[in-house]
Amino acid sequence: MSEQGKGSVSASAAATAPGSDTYKGWLFKWTNYLKGYQRRWFVLSNGLLSYYRTQAEMAHTCRGTINLATAHIDTEDACNIVLSSGGRTYHLKASTEVERQRWVTALELAKAKAIRMMNDQSDDSGDEEPTSQSDRSELQGTLKLLVSKLDDLSTCNDLIAKHGAALQRSLTELEGLKVTIEGGEKIKAVNERATLFRITSNAMINACRDFLDLAETHSRRWQRALQYEREQRTHLEETIEQLAKQHNSLERAWREAPTLASSSPSAPTTNKGGERSNKEEASDEDEDTEYFDAMEDSPAFITVTASESSQHRRSQSNLSGASGGQAYEWNQDDNMSPSCNDVSGKELQPRRERRTRVPDKPNYSLNLWSIMKNCIGKELSKIPMPVNFNEPLSMLQRLTEDLEYHELLDKAARCESSLEQMCLVAAFSVSSYSTTVHRTAKPFNPLLGETYELDRLEEFGYRSLCEQVSHHPPAAAHHVISQRGWTLWQEITIASKFRGKYLSIMPLGTIHLQFHSSGNHYVWRKVTSTVHNIIVGKLWIDQSGDIEIVNHRTKEACQLKFSPYSYFSRDVPRKVTGVVADSSGQAHYILSGTWDDKMESAKILQSSRGGSGSEGKQKTVYQTLSPKLLWKKYPLPENAENMYYFSSLALTLNEPEEGVAVTDSRLRPDQRLMEDGRWDEANAEKQRLEEKQRAVRRRREAEASEALDEECEYDSGREYEGYQPLWFHQRRDSLTGETSFVYKGGYWETKESQDWNICPDIF
């Protein structure tokens, strides 16, 4: 396994020369007998050798460190290096013998310098005051740099002395030879200059040594002064923050006092009071603002909560005023369920009572590793899996779950401001991941030609249809049309790889959303989902990557970043941040939240360039109003942990309905048996369905081969068209230039007539 890794990925040359203070590069590190040697990024700095999985991890996650001052360096063969310190041993391998020698040289130099630094520190550490680790590291780095440069000068001095002595010997020998008088004088002049040069170089070395002694003498004074300045800065920052909060409280108390007085029945209304209220409205944008750092670095901002009255005024005026649209009332009560804001009375009283539970999940034990150990590196859709790893829903039904928070699109359709509409669309794109946080089970792979409909026309005004249009690779087409002013369609191909410890699920395809009244057409893609702890530990899911939502009519865009989970990160887990910008790139809204809980938006008042971030990039500081809630996750139903962690919508997706197509996922027998808790029967039925599908595919391949033979035998043979979906056909998108399956119509008319004769027999 190690030879394969070495052959596939070459360990590149290190970033710097071995003689410099920091040495970086790729090496192969022995991990265990299962994985062998793995490629890792090593950094040699300050007498410490650290390694990371990738260069990007240097900012947050160090996988291991060994102190070279106490380490033993050994070489096994032409390319191997063994480092041991105490009970820790690193077995490393370079790509070439030359590369190995570079690393050995750098390690030996770093070890010698680390030992010198350790000895120097032990000589005068008795009266040193306790300081922070960062101060010590900074001071040690400065002294180490000075020592390093002095060592380089000493080496140069030795070389000069050596070559100077040899030069003088040669000149002395020349003086003994019989040469002309003029030649002898020139030789004496050269000899004198060489002697003078050697004396000068010795003086330079002595001066540098005196400078280093002086720096070491004053090191404690520098350290105390630096610590004092840092404490003073921290104290000033805390004082300023306290003053800002006190000032805000006093200002809010002053504003609320006349408001309460004027709202009493006995208080008369005067023009002076009206003028004061106008001033309050005018100064509304200046109070209780927040500061967001731009997305180049992790957000760091101070939030000062605004009063309820000021938030109420902002929601009616400021939130939509600057974007060019009329005032649009977003959720006034952040704790209120989004359905309370719906206009239609039908939504408050659905015509049909939906089910609220499914049979509890049986507690069957199964050895996961015995099945998965032969599947490493394979496409997951091609692995026969028992239903023990499934949930009683198909991938088509999971795709339909994106509509859990469809009311966000209903609200977006009523927006007159395209920037506010973009905020709601972004919240909708994030909300589709909220149901996955506990859903570690695998949905059923749909059979070719399988469909799923979700008709909520009377309750919520939309109809949804999915169809499995391809089996290898698995692809599903989805189309939703709403009477409330929007249409959504997508084709999703799931690419998944099992990597031993985790499973990567990569949805490929584009999501389109168009609003009928404005013509705004939004396009975006999904991020990568990762299932961790496949073999050992509790399964958990993470979402990571970037989403770019583009309004192709106005050229406005939203950049969303799903931050991957890191044990060492101080950020909130499952964090999502974003910026909504207009066609010129100017930012108007900041989005923040988590993909499993909620999303908020904050209107930007102004932006400015701040200081440099951790990576040297200059930050953009956004001054914003208080954030407004865009979306909040619904609580899970009672006993959800025993019902596959289904949401309220997911519980109804597999509920039997009359009149659906004969290819509908609700009629799939193995899925229904699993939902009823009859898993052994479900496994047998699943094998029967898969074998039936394979037989149909073999027959189709035979027909294609026969048609090809006829075409070769005759000039005009019959042309084999291959499998064609019933309700979707391929078309080229004019915006993205991609070819995808879109709805061609006819399904709902066929359902009305109940003529399903054209549907294939797949169950």
Side-chain angles (χ1 to χ4, degrees), residues 305-321:
T305 306
S307 62
E308 294 183 2
S309 60
S310 63
Q311 285 194 15
H312 182 76
R313 290 194 304 272
R314 284 184 191 147
S315 64
Q316 292 182 344
S317 60
N318 293 334
L319 193 58
S320 61

Side-chain angles (χ1 to χ4, degrees), residues 172-185:
T172 303
E173 292 174 358
L174 288 175
E175 287 179 354
L177 299 177
K178 292 182 179 181
V179 295
T180 62
I181 297 176
E182 183 179 355
E185 292 178 355

Side-chain angles (χ1 to χ4, degrees), residues 729-748:
H729 56 181
Q730 277 190 320
R731 290 293 182 268
R732 184 178 182 84
D733 187 79
S734 58
L735 295 178
T736 64
E738 300 175 349
T739 301
S740 60
F741 284 92
V742 296
Y743 181 58
K744 65 180 180 181
Y747 178 87
W748 304 108

Side-chain angles (χ1 to χ4, degrees), residues 185-199:
E185 292 178 355
K186 289 185 177 179
I187 291 175
K188 288 182 180 180
V190 172
N191 196 358
E192 291 174 357
R193 290 180 181 178
T195 303
L196 181 61
F197 181 74
R198 185 177 61 177
I199 294 173

Side-chain angles (χ1 to χ4, degrees), residues 192 195 312 323 365 406 525 555 674:
E192 291 174 357
T195 303
H312 182 76
S323 57
S365 61
H406 61 88
R525 299 176 184 271
K555 305 305 179 183
M674 183 197 174

Side-chain angles (χ1 to χ4, degrees), residues 226-435:
L226 179 63
Q227 181 66 19
Y228 175 78
E229 293 297 334
R230 287 183 174 175
E231 290 176 354
Q232 289 297 313
R233 188 185 66 179
T234 303
H235 178 69
L236 285 174
E237 289 177 350
E238 294 175 353
T239 304
I240 291 173
E241 185 175 352
Q242 284 294 114
L243 289 174
K245 290 181 178 180
Q246 293 174 7
H247 175 77
N248 175 261
S249 299
L250 291 172
E251 188 180 42
R252 190 164 59 243
W254 178 82
R255 287 176 176 171
E256 289 177 353
T259 303
L260 294 174
S262 61
S263 61
S264 61
S266 60
T269 303
T270 63
N271 292 334
K272 185 177 182 180
E275 292 176 1
R276 175 174 293 177
S277 63
N278 291 335
K279 291 181 180 179
E280 289 176 12
E281 291 290 334
S283 63
D284 192 35
E285 289 187 348
D286 294 330
E287 66 171 66
D288 307 343
T289 56
E290 298 183 1
Y291 295 87
F292 287 79
D293 283 343
M295 293 180 63
E296 289 87 2
D297 295 282
S298 57
F301 49 87
I302 300 174
T303 302
V304 182
T305 306
S307 62
E308 294 183 2
S309 60
S310 63
Q311 285 194 15
H312 182 76
R313 290 194 304 272
R314 284 184 191 147
S315 64
Q316 292 182 344
S317 60
N318 293 334
L319 193 58
S320 61
S323 57
Q326 296 180 358
Y328 171 65
E329 183 177 351
W330 292 16
N331 290 345
Q332 296 296 328
D333 187 355
D334 289 352
N335 298 319
M336 187 180 297
S337 173
S339 61
C340 296
N341 295 323
D342 292 333
V343 180
S344 175
K346 296 180 180 179
E347 298 175 11
L348 301 178
Q349 296 180 352
R351 293 190 177 184
R352 174 174 175 175
E353 190 75 19
R354 304 287 178 181
R355 70 179 184 181
T356 58
R357 62 173 295 107
V358 296
D360 288 356
K361 177 182 179 181
N363 188 16
Y364 288 155
S365 61
L366 188 66
N367 187 355
L368 178 62
W369 178 243
S370 63
I371 296 175
M372 301 296 284
K373 64 183 179 181
N374 297 321
C375 306
I376 297 177
K378 296 182 180 179
E379 178 70 30
L380 189 66
S381 61
K382 299 181 180 179
I383 300 172
M385 301 284 284
V387 300
N388 304 54
F389 301 121
N390 287 36
E391 62 180 15
L393 290 177
S394 74
M395 182 59 73
L396 301 181
Q397 291 165 314
R398 284 290 293 268
L399 197 60
T400 307
E401 277 193 76
D402 287 357
L403 302 174
E404 175 99 27
Y405 299 93
H406 61 88
E407 66 273 3
L408 290 172
L409 301 184
D410 297 341
K411 295 175 185 176
R414 299 196 296 269
C415 275
E416 296 188 14
S417 166
S418 58
L419 291 171
E420 291 179 4
Q421 190 177 75
M422 175 70 82
C423 293
L424 290 168
V425 172
F428 173 79
S429 69
V430 175
S431 70
S432 63
Y433 298 98
S434 63
T435 61

Side-chain angles (χ1 to χ4, degrees), residues 99-119:
E99 182 67 20
R100 194 281 306 266
Q101 190 57 44
R102 290 177 181 170
W103 273 103
V104 171
T105 303
L107 291 171
E108 292 287 359
L109 290 174
K111 178 181 178 180
K113 293 181 180 180
I115 292 174
R116 285 198 303 268
M117 289 294 296
M118 185 171 61
N119 294 335

Side-chain angles (χ1 to χ4, degrees), residues 462-692:
Y462 70 85
R463 277 176 164 177
S464 168
L465 175 65
C466 291
E467 181 179 6
Q468 188 76 0
V469 296
S470 173
H471 189 63
H472 287 304
H478 185 202
H479 182 268
V480 190
I481 187 168
S482 171
Q483 291 181 339
R484 297 179 183 175
W486 54 270
T487 301
L488 182 145
W489 67 96
Q490 60 181 319
E491 179 194 337
I492 298 296
T493 300
I494 301 296
S496 53
K497 289 289 184 180
F498 176 59
R499 300 298 187 184
K501 286 185 179 180
Y502 62 91
L503 173 70
S504 295
I505 303 171
M506 297 151 286
L508 309 176
T510 306
I511 304 173
H512 295 259
L513 172 65
Q514 188 169 24
F515 291 97
H516 303 163
S517 59
S518 63
N520 289 334
H521 190 152
Y522 297 88
V523 177
W524 71 93
R525 299 176 184 271
K526 289 182 174 287
V527 296
T528 298
S529 302
T530 306
V531 184
H532 295 271
N533 292 346
I534 292 292
I535 304 303
V536 179
K538 184 179 179 181
L539 293 175
W540 60 280
I541 291 181
D542 193 22
Q543 315 288 348
S544 59
D546 299 329
I547 293 180
E548 182 183 32
I549 307 175
V550 178
N551 183 346
H552 282 274
R553 189 184 73 85
T554 63
K555 305 305 179 183
E556 296 163 349
C558 173
Q559 302 288 340
L560 289 175
K561 180 178 181 59
F562 288 66
S563 300
Y565 174 79
S566 173
Y567 179 80
F568 300 96
S569 175
R570 297 181 180 179
D571 287 338
V572 178
R574 309 179 184 96
K575 182 179 180 180
V576 181
T577 54
V579 175
V580 176
D582 57 23
S583 57
S584 63
Q586 181 180 355
H588 287 261
Y589 287 93
I590 289 290
L591 305 181
S592 61
T594 58
W595 54 263
D596 67 325
D597 184 27
K598 65 180 180 180
M599 285 297 293
E600 296 176 333
S601 71
K603 183 174 177 57
I604 297 174
L605 298 179
Q606 65 181 14
S607 62
S608 60
R609 305 301 295 182
S612 298
S614 59
E615 299 179 358
K617 298 180 179 178
Q618 193 176 25
K619 293 182 180 180
T620 301
V621 180
Y622 294 121
Q623 182 182 356
T624 70
L625 296 175
S626 297
K628 297 292 296 182
L629 183 68
L630 292 174
W631 158 75
K632 176 75 175 174
K633 180 186 176 183
Y634 299 147
L636 289 175
E638 186 180 357
N639 196 39
E641 65 275 7
N642 296 320
M643 297 187 297
Y644 310 92
Y645 287 98
F646 281 175
S647 63
S648 298
L649 174 63
L651 289 173
T652 68
L653 292 180
N654 206 42
E655 184 177 9
E657 288 194 15
E658 296 181 356
V660 299
V662 295
T663 54
D664 197 273
S665 299
R666 299 178 181 88
L667 305 177
R668 181 166 174 164
D670 55 347
Q671 188 172 302
R672 182 64 61 188
L673 289 169
M674 183 197 174
E675 181 181 283
D676 294 338
R678 298 153 64 183
W679 284 17
D680 292 336
E681 298 175 58
N683 277 319
E685 189 65 20
K686 184 172 182 288
Q687 292 181 4
R688 182 191 69 82
L689 290 175
E690 290 174 349
E691 182 56 39
K692 180 178 181 179

